[in-house]
Amino acid sequence: MPLRDLFQAPTIAQLAQTLEGSTRASRPPLVPGERDGLLSFAQTRLWFLDHLEGAGVAYHIPLAFVLEGRLDIAALHQAFAALIARHEVLRTVYHYEDGNAAPRAVVLTRNLPELEVLDRTHEDIESLAAHEAVIPFRLESEAPIRVRLVRLGTESSLLLITLHHIAADGWSVTLLMQELGELYARALAKAPLTLPAPALTYQDFARWQRDWLKGRTLEEQADYWRARLDGAPALLALPTDRPRPPAQSYKGRSFSFALDGDLLARLKALAMRTNTTLYMVLLTGFAILLSRLSRETDLVIGTPAAGRGMRETEALVGLFVNSLALRIDLSGEPDTQTLLDQVRSITLDALAHQDLPFDLVVEALRPEYDTSHHPLFQAFFCLIDDPAEAAVLSGVKITSLFAETGVAKFDLMLSTMETPEGLHGAFQYATSLFDEGTISCFARYYERVLAGMVGDPSRSVLRLALFDEDGRRALIAKGVGAQVVTGSATALSLIEAQVARDSDAVAVVYAGEELSYGALNSRANRLARRLKGLKVGPESLVGVYLERGHDLVVALLAVWKAGAGYVPLDPGQPRERLGYMLSDSKVSVVLTQSGLLEGLPAGTARVIALDRERLERFADDDLGIRVDPANLAYVIYTSGSTGRPKGAMLS
């Protein structure tokens, strides 16, 4: 039965009518078969990613639990051994031999993973958890699960479980923790450590998936995603703190925040009124936030789907989860109700087509290959359960501990989790792009968006306030400042006014070295007097042939103080272009450094190497030359429609 039927038939009577007229989906049966070593599509993708430098640790599932109470370590040993024996995917390695088309799954019969017990009574448990989470797996020879118990005291321990995603997903974690509790209870009671055996293995599913998803079935699934994502933007342009590097580093951090119980209750009430779910409401809020930050209305957001559409897979541990690309349209100033209706429809449609693995969706769409970002989407959203709630160890209190892995698969991922106190949220972000301060702002904005959705559902979602009144006033004050710029002011007069207000304030920072406003002004005044002695004045031009650094800023300011304009000459440009610009602009003086002289074309201009000048012989007070806002400030050369550069004059 499609999930959509539950929303279209919200009463028991309507649901009964829907079921009465339904027919079973036409899928081949999932039955046990031979052990042929096939990997599922998702497993194959993770295997290849693991062999890319830096990508493997990004696909760890780290679990950390603080255990308080009398723990029977021998019983825990037995329970874990029974768990490993019960699920063969937890003792599977992945071999690849030259000449084979793909890696093969091989089930280990010896050297099986065991519970390792350590004593670390005086160490920081968060550091222990973080270190454990990023120890890499050798998938070709090592089982994809690692379990360590750190004894912190007589009745306190830290349980660290690390899984590789190639063998498990979030649903699997819940199953494993539930079964661990049952097996531990049996070990305490000296009862047989047996549970009803799974009728199937994950390899059965992998073979079934590859047999089913081909030919017409594959094309029908792919057609939906092609139609849905045709023309979607390839990259979400969020405001980053740094330019995007040419390749993903997978380095990241997490920033946690909390929303109180009152807001959570109001969000649930909104979901009830709009025939949606808490997940859909939180996802909609995330879409609004991304749209406001990027100024884009066509968004693609990733989200997980359990991928367990058959009863036979419900009790299996393995990688069934799939990533779905949800395309959300925020154009036309939609209100909260309208956008929630759209998100509900998009989500239900996507879940009805969740069987096509993400890597096959990418293959069907064939986006332009780009190592700098994740394909199809760069933002991800999920609503998760607390894994500690699934674990029950008799006589032991279990509390989840967050383990910082230092990795990020996406530019930005928002994870949310309902707790007794309210809603816990965490942004996992790429540190190559964002600073923590920026992400903390995103968290505050997200809370304001959610509050606005429940406060005024009829208002356009693109007009919901991101700030409270105090925050809005502070931002305006920061942007405007205390001084009002009038039409008669120039950049030079504003800088000189700042020197008078606070000469010790930092004006320029380069390569870790600071230059104050006072020092900048003094150096520029001396250089301006040198230029004035060379008959440089208003409406004349000075060439500036310098690399980035303090001297560049001093030179530009000195040219203005002399009343002239500058022509920027990039040392990275061809000599022929530079020669044409010097000739065309008729500059009388060029400011440079001795190390750049060889790259400067010969010409009639006087060349001044700043590092060879004795500028300290000139006075350092302001020259007092009047510069009008209409005077020439600089000339910038464009490519020109004729192929020859053209100088554009700016005041």
Side-chain angles (χ1 to χ4, degrees):
M1 181 185 69
L3 184 61
R4 179 180 292 278
D5 289 353
L6 288 174
F7 288 82
Q8 294 177 340
T11 70
I12 298 296
Q14 291 171 326
L15 187 59
Q17 291 178 347
T18 300
L19 289 173
E20 192 173 46
S22 66
T23 58
R24 183 177 177 83
S26 55
R27 290 181 180 178
L30 176 51
V31 295
E34 60 179 305
R35 295 290 182 269
D36 48 17
L38 284 177
L39 277 63
S40 68
F41 290 109
Q43 281 185 316
T44 302
R45 177 171 178 264
L46 289 194
W47 186 89
F48 281 110
L49 285 174
D50 183 72
H51 285 66
L52 296 176
E53 183 178 0
V57 175
Y59 291 91
H60 285 190
I61 304 176
L63 304 169
F65 304 101
V66 176
L67 311 181
E68 296 175 285
R70 291 193 175 275
L71 179 69
D72 189 320
I73 296 179
L76 194 61
H77 263 291
Q78 297 172 34
F80 264 113
L83 201 64
I84 299 298
R86 176 175 169 76
H87 298 288
E88 70 172 34
V89 72
L90 300 180
R91 43 191 169 88
T92 298
V93 295
Y94 302 89
H95 290 175
Y96 181 79
E97 298 178 3
D98 290 341
N100 288 347
R104 313 294 288 182
V106 178
V107 180
L108 295 176
T109 57
R110 57 179 180 170
N111 299 325
L112 303 182
E114 296 180 350
L115 173 67
E116 183 179 355
V117 181
L118 307 171
D119 287 304
R120 296 286 191 273
T121 53
H122 301 295
E123 293 193 38
D124 175 31
I125 60 173
E126 292 185 353
S127 298
L128 284 171
H131 173 73
E132 180 68 21
V134 295
I135 299 175
F137 287 99
R138 297 184 300 275
L139 295 180
E140 68 279 359
S141 60
E142 181 184 3
I145 181 172
R146 188 169 50 243
V147 188
R148 289 186 175 137
L149 181 72
V150 182
R151 291 192 291 201
L152 306 173
T154 56
E155 294 194 3
S156 180
S157 302
L158 178 65
L159 180 61
L160 301 173
I161 304 173
T162 310
L163 292 152
H164 195 286
H165 214 343
I166 202 168
D169 53 19
W171 185 300
S172 301
V173 168
T174 300
L175 285 175
L176 290 173
M177 297 311 296
Q178 289 173 343
E179 292 184 359
L180 177 64
E182 295 178 38
L183 291 167
Y184 178 75
R186 287 176 175 270
L188 287 178
K190 311 298 183 185
L193 296 185
T194 56
L195 296 173
L200 302 164
T201 68
Y202 187 79
Q203 279 197 37
D204 293 327
F205 168 77
R207 186 190 63 260
W208 172 89
Q209 184 189 54
R210 289 186 176 275
D211 287 343
W212 179 53
L213 282 177
K214 59 186 179 182
R216 182 177 178 182
T217 301
L218 176 61
E219 280 305 305
E220 288 176 352
Q221 291 277 336
D223 284 346
Y224 167 81
W225 291 106
R226 288 192 194 98
R228 187 77 194 100
L229 298 176
D230 180 46
L235 181 64
L236 176 62
L238 291 172
T240 61
D241 295 297
R242 283 170 290 282
R244 182 178 298 277
Q248 277 185 278
S249 69
Y250 294 97
K251 293 180 180 178
R253 290 194 63 80
S254 293
F255 179 85
S256 297
F257 62 97
L259 306 180
D260 62 37
D262 178 65
L263 179 55
L264 176 59
R266 295 168 68 197
L267 292 170
K268 286 183 170 183
L270 176 63
M272 290 287 287
R273 292 197 306 271
T274 56
N275 192 28
T276 58
T277 64
L278 178 63
Y279 163 86
M280 294 174 185
V281 171
L282 296 175
L283 169 62
T284 300
F286 188 45
I288 296 169
L289 173 68
L290 295 176
S291 178
R292 296 290 295 275
L293 293 174
S294 66
R295 294 182 175 271
E296 296 177 6
T297 56
D298 189 359
L299 303 176
V300 181
I301 302 174
T303 196
R308 296 174 185 257
M310 296 183 291
R311 176 181 292 179
E312 293 87 346
T313 62
E314 290 181 0
L316 287 182
V317 171
L319 177 55
F320 294 91
V321 69
N322 192 19
S323 294
L324 305 181
L326 305 182
R327 188 177 184 182
I328 302 174
D329 180 10
L330 289 94
S331 63
E333 299 274 340
D335 58 24
T336 297
Q337 175 70 67
T338 302
L339 190 56
L340 282 172
D341 288 345
Q342 181 196 155
V343 168
R344 178 183 61 237
S345 179
I346 290 169
T347 302
L348 296 176
D349 277 349
L351 289 172
H353 296 84
Q354 65 176 288
D355 291 316
L356 190 66
F358 177 74
D359 57 308
L360 294 188
V361 174
V362 174
E363 187 176 309
L365 292 167
R366 298 190 181 279
E368 184 176 345
Y369 181 70
D370 193 329
T371 60
S372 70
H373 59 78
H374 190 275
L376 302 189
F377 52 78
Q378 296 79 49
F380 200 83
F381 173 81
C382 56
L383 176 63
I384 60 177
D385 296 322
D386 185 351
E389 293 185 357
V392 178
L393 299 180
S394 180
V396 178
K397 179 184 177 183
I398 305 177
T399 307
S400 290
L401 177 71
F402 172 73
E404 176 63 76
T405 62
V407 299
K409 295 191 285 288
F410 311 100
D411 292 359
L412 191 66
M413 182 174 80
L414 174 58
S415 300
T416 55
M417 182 171 65
E418 189 176 349
T419 70
E421 293 77 28
L423 192 75
H424 173 81
F427 278 111
Q428 189 181 62
Y429 60 96
T431 50
S432 60
L433 299 176
F434 300 105
D435 292 330
E436 183 177 292
T438 299
I439 301 301
S440 69
C441 289
F442 289 0
R444 291 198 301 273
Y445 299 162
Y446 183 59
E447 181 176 6
R448 292 289 299 170
V449 165
L450 294 177
M453 290 171 63
V454 298
D456 187 1
S458 63
R459 189 176 187 183
S460 165
V461 297
L462 299 183
R463 298 182 183 275
L464 297 176
L466 296 185
F467 310 94
D468 56 23
E469 188 58 29
D470 290 341
R472 189 183 70 85
R473 283 197 295 265
L475 184 68
I476 291 173
K478 183 178 180 180
V480 173
Q483 184 179 10
V484 177
V485 179
T486 65
S488 62
T490 64
L492 176 60
S493 67
L494 292 173
I495 292 172
E496 290 181 341
Q498 171 63 20
V499 173
R501 281 195 302 272
D502 188 356
S503 63
D504 293 330
V506 175
V508 186
V509 180
Y510 179 75
E513 296 186 9
E514 298 178 347
L515 190 65
S516 69
Y517 272 97
L520 170 65
N521 197 54
S522 295
R523 289 174 58 178
N525 284 333
R526 291 190 176 105
L527 180 55
R529 284 188 163 83
R530 176 74 171 99
L531 293 173
K532 188 179 176 183
L534 297 172
K535 302 188 184 311
V536 170
E539 299 304 306
S540 60
L541 289 171
V542 175
V544 178
Y545 185 65
L546 291 165
E547 300 280 7
R548 284 180 180 271
H550 292 165
D551 281 350
L552 175 61
V553 184
V554 170
L556 301 184
L557 190 56
V559 170
W560 284 348
K561 282 176 173 286
Y566 65 83
V567 179
L569 304 168
D570 184 354
Q573 290 183 336
R575 289 172 60 91
E576 293 80 3
R577 179 181 173 90
L578 293 172
Y580 173 81
M581 291 162 61
L582 286 169
S583 173
D584 186 63
S585 61
K586 298 180 175 57
V587 300
S588 57
V589 176
V590 175
L591 301 178
T592 186
Q593 292 166 323
S594 56
L596 298 174
L597 289 174
E598 290 186 4
L600 189 65
T604 59
R606 175 74 177 268
V607 178
I608 302 294
L610 297 181
D611 53 339
R612 294 180 179 176
E613 288 288 313
R614 292 178 53 250
L615 296 176
E616 64 274 5
R617 57 197 171 101
F618 297 101
D620 66 352
D621 57 320
D622 290 339
L623 281 70
I625 295 176
R626 176 173 172 76
V627 179
D628 189 271
N631 285 141
L632 190 63
Y634 66 98
V635 174
I636 186 76
Y637 275 82
T638 63
S639 60
S641 58
T642 63
R644 297 177 66 84
K646 292 183 178 179
M649 300 184 292
L650 294 100
S651 60

